[in-house]
């Protein structure tokens, strides 16, 4: 069993417990009372926006399967506000509990604290989780191609759009990018961390990013240690980066977000001059 498979087993168990407490019919009723979602596609630099900036998705992340405990985040709302102050375009909130120490309570706290789009980052394996994300105010959900059949991927993406939300469709290979494009994904992430082994290989980003259509927003995921890594991703086609560990282990998240965005913008400008 791979790491991804093991995580999904736990995700399904926890999902069924929540579904037993709150059936889908009641959950959908709650969605009707939630404020309309924010446009994460535009916030991340959709085609209508000039792509001269590098957008930063800043993550509330307590721990990970590869590193264990990362940070004691006692006030996720305060951290999210600091991210927003630093210029983050989107806040990502991990809600998987067993391996990442997250919760829907974290999502609620962050949603109430910021005015920018919020991503519910979890391992989506059931439509219930998409309704759940919207009920808790998320504007964006994560869909991992490696965890889904094509029919599920298409159905989940369609539901996300019907609810007025967007999806970050995560890929790891050229074949997964083809699958994401085939179902109409508009925000495509290239995760340089192998979810089967947890190994990171930043060098694969450039070759995979060039396979993504220009109308899509390209997100670089994992492997960011510093501004140089951000600049490298931007130079190789990233429109945005998703950063967790490098932000939560530092003591100045606002400045780090601003520094990452600035480094990315410079790399994009240099890329444009060289084309």
């Amino acid at each position: 069993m791979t790491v991804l498979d093991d995580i999904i087993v736990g995700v399904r168990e926890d999902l069924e417990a929540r579904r037993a407490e709150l059936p889908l019919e009641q959950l959908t009723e709650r969605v009707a009372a939630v404020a309309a979602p924010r446009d994460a596609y535009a916030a991340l630099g959709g085609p209508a926006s000039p792509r001269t900036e590098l957008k930063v998705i800043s993550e509330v992340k307590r721990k990970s399967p590869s590193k264990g405990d990362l940070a004691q985040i006692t006030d996720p709302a305060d951290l999210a506000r600091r991210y927003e102050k630093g210029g983050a375009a989107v806040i990502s909130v991990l809600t998987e509990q067993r391996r990442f120490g997250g919760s829907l309570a974290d999502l609620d706290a962050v949603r109430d604290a910021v005015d920018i789009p919020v991503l519910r980052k979890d391992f989506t394996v059931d439509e219930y989780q998409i309704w759940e994300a919207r009920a808790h105010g998320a504007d964006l959900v994560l869909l991992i191609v490696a965890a889904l059949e094509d029919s599920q991927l298409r159905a989940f993406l369609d539901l996300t759009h019907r609810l007025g939300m967007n999806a970050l469709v995560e890929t790891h290979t050229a074949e997964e990018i083809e699958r994401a494009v085939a179902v109409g994904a508009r925000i495509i992430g290239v995760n340089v961390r192998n979810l089967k082994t947890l190994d990171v290989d930043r060098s694969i980003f450039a070759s995979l990013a060039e396979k993504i259509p220009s109308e899509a927003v390209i997100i670089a995921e994992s492997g960011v240690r510093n501004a140089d890594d951000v600049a490298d991703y931007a130079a190789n086609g990233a429109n945005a980066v998703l950063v967790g560990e490098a932000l939560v282990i530092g003591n100045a998240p606002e400045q780090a977000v601003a520094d990452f965005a600035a480094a990315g913008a410079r790399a994009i400008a240099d890329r444009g001059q060289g084309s």
Side-chain angles (χ1 to χ4, degrees):
M1 178 179 288
T2 68
V3 175
L4 177 60
D5 292 335
D6 186 51
I7 291 173
I8 288 175
V9 169
V11 165
R12 289 189 181 279
E13 290 176 358
D14 294 342
L15 165 63
E16 291 311 316
R18 296 195 306 276
R19 193 187 336 241
E21 292 184 3
L22 183 66
L24 180 60
E25 182 179 355
Q26 295 178 31
L27 184 63
T28 58
E29 292 174 357
R30 292 191 180 187
V31 168
V34 177
R38 293 160 175 80
D39 189 347
Y41 183 56
L44 290 170
S49 304
R51 293 186 177 179
T52 57
E53 300 177 352
L54 189 284
K55 306 294 186 178
V56 180
I57 304 174
S58 303
E59 192 155 83
V60 177
K61 183 177 186 179
R62 291 188 172 85
K63 63 182 184 178
S64 74
S66 61
K67 296 290 184 66
D69 291 337
L70 297 173
Q72 293 292 329
I73 301 174
T74 57
D75 190 345
D78 179 67
L79 178 59
R81 282 190 289 265
R82 295 174 75 180
Y83 285 157
E84 184 177 29
K85 184 178 179 181
V90 171
I91 307 296
S92 170
V93 183
L94 276 153
T95 59
E96 197 281 332
Q97 181 176 4
R98 301 190 186 198
R99 296 296 191 98
F100 293 90
S103 68
L104 287 166
D106 285 348
L107 181 60
D108 290 337
V110 170
R111 175 68 288 160
D112 289 343
V114 300
D115 293 323
I116 57 178
V118 173
L119 161 67
R120 184 206 180 167
K121 193 177 180 191
D122 210 317
F123 296 79
T124 306
V125 293
D126 192 287
E127 289 189 355
Y128 183 94
Q129 293 164 284
I130 300 173
W131 285 98
E132 193 174 48
R134 183 80 283 270
H136 286 267
D139 311 288
L140 189 65
V141 295
L142 178 69
L143 301 178
I144 302 174
V145 175
L148 301 169
E149 300 292 336
D150 285 345
S151 58
Q152 293 175 306
L153 182 60
R154 187 181 299 277
F156 291 177
L157 187 60
D158 287 348
L159 174 59
T160 301
H161 291 161
R162 290 204 307 274
L163 291 175
M165 305 167 71
N166 283 285
L168 167 51
V169 180
E170 180 176 295
T171 65
H172 302 82
T173 66
E175 184 268 339
E176 289 179 6
I177 289 173
E178 290 179 4
R179 293 175 58 200
V181 171
V183 298
R186 300 192 301 167
I187 304 172
I188 300 178
V190 174
N191 193 338
V192 301
R193 184 184 301 280
N194 185 321
L195 289 185
K196 296 179 180 179
T197 66
L198 300 184
D199 294 335
V200 170
D201 182 358
R202 296 174 192 83
S203 68
I204 68 173
F205 177 79
S207 61
L208 293 177
E210 67 182 14
K211 301 180 184 300
I212 300 175
S214 60
E215 61 268 22
V217 172
I218 304 173
I219 314 295
E221 302 180 59
S222 298
V224 171
R225 300 161 298 182
N226 50 47
D228 288 342
D229 290 332
V230 173
D232 186 61
Y233 282 142
N236 284 289
N239 305 122
V241 292
L242 192 157
V243 189
E245 179 181 340
L247 294 176
V248 300
I249 65 175
N251 56 13
E254 309 101 311
Q255 189 60 52
V257 172
D259 289 347
F260 289 169
R266 288 193 296 270
I268 290 172
D270 290 344
R271 186 178 73 199
Q273 291 172 5
S275 61

